[in-house]
Amino acid sequence: MNDSPAPRPSEPSACPHSPAGPHGAPELFTWEFATYPYPAYAWLREHRPVHRTALPSGVEAWLVTRYGDAREALADARLSKNPANHAESPHAKGKTGIPGERKAELMTHLLNIDPPDHTRLRRLVSKAFTPRRVAEFAPRVQELTDRLIDDFVEKGSADLIHDFAFPLPIYAICDLLGVPEEDQDDFRDWAGMMIRHGGGPRGGVARSVKKMRGYLAELIHRKRENPGDDLISGLIRASDHGEHLTENEAAAMAFILLFAGFETTVNLIGNGTYALLRHPGQRARLEASLAAGESALLATGLEELLRFDGPVEMATWRYATEALTLGGEEIAAGDPVLVVLAAADRDPERFTDPDTLDLARRDNQHLGYGHGIHYCLGAPLARLEGQTALTTLLRRLPDLRLAGEPGDLRWRGGLIMRGLRTLPVAFEPGSRTRKSDTASTL
């Protein structure tokens, strides 16, 4: 049972009927595009699957939009993650990557390095970030989820981004890293500045990154003297043939686990909830499955939500280390390449009815968490948080509904991530379900 992808007020046709840019291509990076980029990506997949364009920052980069090309690019060792391989022009300097990370000495993390350093660091970090640790964290994620819903359940309304999707992964990753509870609101403030950076002042983001770097350095120093059973202590203890993470590496890894581990989950919960609210038939199937104590549809459904309108629109920056051909285009050495996951995951050459949400979709090897050696290390945690959040919302707020018109919603205008600024909802005040029931199918 699939919901038909009928036109929606919040998802205007972006192309080919929208104003075209130079040479007939759809106009990219407008507010209309940010609201619903998929028709523009469909045009690019058909006409210019590897497309060179000027980004809002002024940097020129190649956009890769077909699934086959995207999967190839994500695994191509000639496309480096190291910004040192970017043939920057003076005006582009510092305009790629995460604002402020260069000045804060936070560059040596998994998103910015290649083998053999990447191999060493990932192996070390994997020793601390284990599936067992994630599984043991499930009760805490459930506790945080229920606590946040408790805070607004009696009001009958909420902004699910501000009140739920944003704080849940922040508090979860802080707990996992070992940030003391009394310091977690500072992290929430710094993360709030970072998540608002699309269209906002990069200087404000850089200041937040610098404050976070200073705090992490101090926390790592304290953990060295008094380690605990947390992720930062695990990073400090991790060793491989006698090698340990340096203090800069540990700080950079803690930073990127926080940065990559919260905004993706904010968007997963926000985009996923919005998709369910806009597809009542699919939502009803999931609710019936959960009520029957089943977990299969929840598992396939989360993967489908990741494919359909995932939290990461484009994979993080890559730079050609040599001239290469991709999708029939000649990429020069030093050119930046952005793999558009949102476009690849709606490629009709790979997915049947790609613009249709089907929570039971089985053949679903989406690229939402990447591919190859840079596949997201935190994917199990994000899946745990996403499943817990969606299950608990549906069970505790069975009449959850949008408050307002879909066309009034606004999406953040950033480059890499895709997420709603707000998601106003309404429901009958008061919890109708015992909290202990919400975890039964996870």
Side-chain angles (χ1 to χ4, degrees), residues 370-413:
H371 171 66
I373 65 170
H374 291 284
Y375 183 84
C376 178
L377 192 66
L381 177 61
R383 287 186 169 104
L384 168 65
E385 292 173 344
Q387 289 188 1
T388 304
L390 293 174
T391 302
T392 309
L393 283 172
L394 293 176
R395 284 193 157 155
R396 293 193 61 184
L397 308 173
D399 60 342
L400 186 71
R401 59 194 181 274
L402 281 175
E405 294 298 321
D408 293 334
L409 296 177
R410 294 292 177 264
W411 296 75
R412 290 191 300 276

Side-chain angles (χ1 to χ4, degrees), residues 64-81:
V64 182
T65 56
R66 286 183 182 167
Y67 183 92
D69 294 334
R71 190 175 169 91
E72 176 186 337
L74 291 172
D76 193 329
R78 297 171 298 174
L79 292 175
S80 167
K81 299 291 291 173

Side-chain angles (χ1 to χ4, degrees), residues 137-425:
F137 198 54
R140 178 57 176 160
V141 173
Q142 184 65 62
E143 179 186 348
L144 288 169
T145 301
D146 278 315
R147 189 184 79 189
L148 289 168
I149 294 177
D150 287 344
D151 288 343
F152 60 75
V153 71
E154 297 297 339
K155 299 176 185 176
S157 65
D159 172 4
L160 273 191
I161 302 300
H162 181 270
D163 298 327
F164 184 68
F166 176 71
L168 174 59
I170 282 291
Y171 292 138
I173 198 68
C174 280
D175 277 1
L176 198 63
L177 287 171
V179 176
E181 189 171 347
E182 61 269 21
D183 296 337
Q184 291 185 6
D185 283 338
D186 287 336
F187 266 76
R188 181 173 176 168
D189 291 342
W190 298 330
M193 174 58 73
M194 293 167 68
I195 203 172
R196 288 191 296 270
H197 72 78
R202 290 175 70 91
V205 182
R207 284 191 293 274
S208 293
V209 170
K210 185 176 180 180
K211 289 178 181 178
M212 194 178 291
R213 169 67 176 90
Y215 177 86
L216 287 172
E218 180 185 340
L219 183 62
I220 288 168
H221 181 71
R222 295 205 308 264
K223 296 288 185 183
R224 285 192 189 279
E225 295 180 344
N226 187 24
D229 187 26
D230 54 74
L231 191 54
I232 287 183
S233 297
L235 290 174
I236 294 169
R237 286 193 298 266
S239 63
D240 187 32
H241 304 296
E243 279 193 284
H244 291 75
L245 292 171
T246 67
E247 186 161 307
N248 268 351
E249 288 172 340
M253 287 308 309
F255 165 75
I256 203 59
L257 288 171
L258 177 73
F259 180 80
F262 89 88
E263 189 170 1
T264 52
T265 309
V266 173
N267 295 346
L268 171 58
I269 297 170
N271 298 4
T273 303
Y274 178 63
L276 292 176
L277 293 176
R278 300 291 291 145
H279 294 79
Q282 294 294 304
R283 173 185 173 179
R285 291 182 69 191
L286 181 56
E287 288 176 329
S289 175
L290 293 173
E294 299 167 352
S295 61
L297 191 61
L298 175 64
T300 59
L302 190 75
E303 300 310 306
E304 175 69 346
L305 293 170
L306 282 161
R307 182 201 69 82
F308 181 75
D309 200 7
V312 184
E313 189 163 348
M314 301 185 188
T316 49
W317 296 83
R318 284 167 166 77
Y319 312 92
T321 58
E322 60 184 77
L324 58 97
T325 302
L326 182 61
E329 297 289 345
E330 299 299 322
I331 312 294
D335 278 0
V337 174
L338 289 167
V339 178
V340 187
L341 306 179
D345 281 342
R346 294 223 187 176
D347 188 343
E349 293 295 316
R350 176 60 185 82
F351 300 99
T352 303
D353 297 327
D355 295 321
T356 296
L357 181 70
D358 178 9
L359 298 184
R361 190 184 295 269
R362 295 284 181 180
D363 181 16
N364 195 1
Q365 308 229 348
H366 63 77
L367 300 175
Y369 285 125
H371 171 66
I373 65 170
H374 291 284
Y375 183 84
C376 178
L377 192 66
L381 177 61
R383 287 186 169 104
L384 168 65
E385 292 173 344
Q387 289 188 1
T388 304
L390 293 174
T391 302
T392 309
L393 283 172
L394 293 176
R395 284 193 157 155
R396 293 193 61 184
L397 308 173
D399 60 342
L400 186 71
R401 59 194 181 274
L402 281 175
E405 294 298 321
D408 293 334
L409 296 177
R410 294 292 177 264
W411 296 75
R412 290 191 300 276
L415 187 66
I416 301 298
M417 300 292 182
R418 172 164 171 78
L420 287 160
R421 291 178 179 270
T422 61
L423 183 56
V425 296

Side-chain angles (χ1 to χ4, degrees), residues 97-108:
I98 300 169
E101 64 178 354
R102 299 188 188 201
K103 292 183 179 178
E105 297 181 317
L106 291 171
M107 295 291 290
T108 51

